[in-house]
């Protein structure tokens, strides 16, 4: 998913901070201003992958996302709104 999003956004892509999710999976994190975007990929295939979005006090989650969804949220991350 991240690789496909990178291909779609080669000029806007920023390298994420990479960490484990505490269960053997991976978490990719991007920040811009007061916004944060996290893509979580659990090691256990029975657990869903999700995007976590945060801006100030507001946060939301998008379950079972695709590369297109990640691209759209990357646009949100880099917008000045």
């Amino acid at each position: 998913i991240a690789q496909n999003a990178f291909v779609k956004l080669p000029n806007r892509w920023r390298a994420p901070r990479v960490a484990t999710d505490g269960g053997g999976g991976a978490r990719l994190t991007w920040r811009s201003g007061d916004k944060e975007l996290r893509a979580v990929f659990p090691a256990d295939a029975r657990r869903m992958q999700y995007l976590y979005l945060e801006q100030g006090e507001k946060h939301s989650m998008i379950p079972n996302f695709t590369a297109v969804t990640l691209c759209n949220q990357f646009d949100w991350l880099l917008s000045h709104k």
Side-chain angles (χ1 to χ4, degrees), residues 8-59:
K8 294 177 186 313
L9 299 169
N11 297 324
R12 297 184 57 153
W13 186 262
R14 294 184 183 176
R17 189 181 124 221
V18 180
T20 65
D21 70 351
R27 179 173 47 219
L28 308 179
T29 303
W30 296 269
R31 289 185 185 200
S32 180
D34 71 338
K35 297 178 184 177
E36 183 172 311
L37 172 62
R38 286 185 228 152
V40 180
F41 301 94
D44 184 346
R46 294 173 293 187
R47 296 182 59 209
M48 72 174 171
Q49 64 195 23
Y50 63 92
L51 286 176
Y52 174 83
L53 297 88
E54 183 176 304
Q55 182 175 18
E57 297 290 319
K58 299 177 184 176
H59 55 86

Side-chain angles (χ1 to χ4, degrees), residues 43 45 76:
W76 163 80

